């Protein structure tokens, strides 16, 4: 094997350093902004509009005794099949709401003995026990002031304790603003993901338009992965309930998008890897089957999606292990650049996920999902960079192939199509089922080229050939296709009915006469014999017969030219 040139080694080294520096700058920027925004002691520059927390005075009953809730999130053991939190309402009024987070629990809220809110107790969901992950908004009234309020919670699966994260009591508009403000990072992440998704689908459409079929699949799979990720992150938050009424439909959408996430990712990895295996398609089918079976179980009332979540997690873990193992195999056996990039992307996502976990244990008050979202964005950006580079590389190869093909089918001296191109054209016409009779063939032959070569040299003959080609192109360049099929022979195929061949030949003769006037000092002149044959004149000849007729007519004129001298 040949050694890499020193200049190439330096160029590759600079590219690697450049890539590492870009990643380092991105990581440093993310780290700095995260640390500064979370730990700065300076006053906030954003408007101070915050909802009033209603977290004092809560208690629960256990064994007939009151127990104060010391801090939120809070849990209480079931008594009588439910967990209940009690408090006394402060002064309330119209336009206010009690807001608290609820994860898949049935909820009833009582003021005194009156039930003022029911979510999943008496008002049962249409299928199974799935209730979703939502924020409950309980409207308040002025007459509720000073009354006892109780929140009844019941989990239909998973735990034996009722849980509540936090409770707010304020104007509904302030509560909504607080919810939006707390999700600002998530909103920004979703906007970036959707913009990236649009860019990927635009690249897919462009690649399909350019007929880059294989590489278009890379953009399609990555675009679908980003789209499903955005849908999952969005529906798993509390934002959609500001727009959609059904929390259950949002929950089903969240589980669907999560279960389908591996399908486009597997397709993306398959496209970028040099090696191929049926395992890719097998894992995709397993993910689709998992989604279908769980949906059937949910619709039949056998089990809800949260109860079957461990199956999805195990399948997802198997997919990730398979992808990592296959990427390592592809790097070792095929030295795949794109497999290396994919491993880097997975490593970055793992690193940021670990940072999010570490951040959770260091300070539970910080936005623990921030690092994961940043890592996920970096993961997608790396994959996007790889996809664009793959497309540009493929486009470069296609451009080079087009240049080589043009060289293979172009006569270098005259810059018209050569004999190989002509034979493919004739073979294509013979294989084609044609109903229209609109073909005209023109055979052209330089008079006296051999004598010019013998007497004045091949340089003079070459100049005569190039000049003949220029005259033919000036007459038929836009009206037909020109081929050089022999040393001094040219062929023109006219397929348009609106082209007057005789007028074009007359124009060619004018160009020939003009050339001879400009080069009157030359001891030789340019002269071209021609013969035409059209399907209208010879409708039953066929393609080869039509070519032969044009050739015969050309030689008849050539013989007349020589006999007249």
């Amino acid at each position: 094997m040949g050694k890499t040139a020193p200049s190439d080694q330096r160029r590759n080294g600079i590219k690697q350093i450049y890539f590492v520096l870009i990643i380092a700058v991105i990581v440093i920027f993310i780290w700095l902004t995260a640390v500064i925004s979370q730990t700065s002691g300076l006053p906030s520059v954003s408007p101070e509009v915050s909802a009033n927390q209603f977290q004092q005075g809560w208690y629960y009953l256990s064994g007939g005794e009151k127990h104060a809730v010391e801090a939120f999130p809070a849990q209480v053991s079931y008594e009588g099949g439910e967990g209940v939190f009690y408090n006394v309402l402060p002064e309330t009024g119209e336009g206010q709401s009690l807001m608290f987070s609820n994860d898949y629990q049935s909820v009833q809220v009582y003021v005194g003995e009156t039930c003022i809110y029911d979510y999943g107790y008496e008002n049962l969901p249409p299928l199974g026990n799935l209730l979703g992950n939502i924020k409950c908004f309980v409207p308040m009234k002025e007459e509720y002031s000073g009354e006892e309020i109780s929140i009844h919670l019941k989990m239909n699966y998973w735990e034996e304790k009722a849980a509540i994260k936090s409770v707010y009591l304020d104007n509904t508009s302030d509560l909504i603003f607080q919810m939006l403000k707390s999700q600002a990072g998530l909103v920004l992440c979703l906007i970036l993901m959707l913009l990236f998704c649009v860019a990927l689908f635009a690249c897919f459409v462009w690649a399909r338009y350019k007929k880059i079929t294989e590489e278009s699949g890379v953009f399609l799979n990555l675009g679908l992965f980003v789209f499903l990720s955005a849908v999952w992150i969005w529906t798993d938050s509390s934002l959609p309930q500001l727009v959609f009424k059904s929390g259950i439909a949002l929950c089903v959408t969240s589980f669907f998008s999560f279960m389908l996430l591996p399908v486009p990712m597997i397709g993306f990895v398959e496209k970028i890897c040099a090696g191929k295996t049926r395992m890719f398609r097998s894992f995709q089918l397993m993910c689709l089957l998992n989604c279908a079976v769980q949906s059937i179980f949910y619709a039949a009332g056998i089990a809800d999606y949260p109860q079957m979540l461990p199956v999805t997690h195990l399948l997802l873990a198997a997919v990730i292990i398979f992808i990592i193992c296959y990427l390592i195999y592809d790097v070792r056996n095929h030295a795949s650049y794109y497999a290396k990039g994919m491993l880097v992307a997975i490593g970055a996502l793992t690193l940021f996920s670990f940072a999010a976990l570490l951040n959770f244990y260091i300070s539970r008050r910080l936005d623990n999902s921030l690092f994961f979202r940043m890592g996920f964005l970096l993961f997608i950006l790396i994959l996007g960079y790889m996809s664009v580079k793959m497309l540009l590389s493929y486009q470069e190869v296609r451009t080079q192939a087009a240049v080589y093909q043009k060289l293979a089918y172009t006569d270098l001296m005259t810059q018209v199509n050569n004999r190989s191109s002509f034979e493919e054209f004739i073979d294509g016409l013979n294989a084609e089922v044609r109903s229209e009779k609109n073909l005209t063939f023109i055979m052209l032959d330089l008079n006296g080229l051999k004598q010019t070569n013998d007497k004045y040299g091949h340089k003079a003959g070459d100049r005569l050939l190039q000049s003949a080609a220029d005259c033919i192109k000036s007459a038929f360049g836009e009206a037909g296709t020109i081929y050089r099929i022999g040393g001094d022979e040219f062929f023109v195929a006219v397929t348009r009915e609106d082209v007057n061949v005789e007028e074009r030949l007359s124009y060619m003769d004018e160009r020939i006469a003009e050339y001879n006037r400009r080069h009157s000092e030359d001891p030789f002149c340019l002269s071209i014999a021609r013969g035409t044959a059209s399907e209208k004149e010879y409708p039953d000849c066929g393609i080869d017969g039509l070519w032969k007729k044009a050739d015969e007519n050309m030689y008849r004129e050539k013989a007349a030219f020589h006999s007249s001298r």
Side-chain angles (χ1 to χ4, degrees), residues 418-452:
N418 62 13
R419 179 79 188 197
S420 297
S421 180
F422 168 74
E423 289 176 352
E424 280 198 11
F425 171 71
I426 294 296
D427 291 341
L429 288 177
N430 283 321
E432 184 181 347
V433 178
R434 301 176 59 254
S435 57
E436 297 182 358
K437 301 290 184 179
N438 57 357
L439 273 178
T440 299
F441 288 167
I442 307 168
M443 284 294 300
L444 302 151
D445 189 280
L446 268 69
N447 292 318
L449 179 63
K450 184 178 184 304
Q451 291 81 357
T452 301

Side-chain angles (χ1 to χ4, degrees), residues 54 57 59 86-90 146-149:
F54 181 38
Y59 66 92
Y86 300 90
N87 207 334
V88 176
L89 285 170
E147 296 287 334
E148 182 184 65
I149 186 171

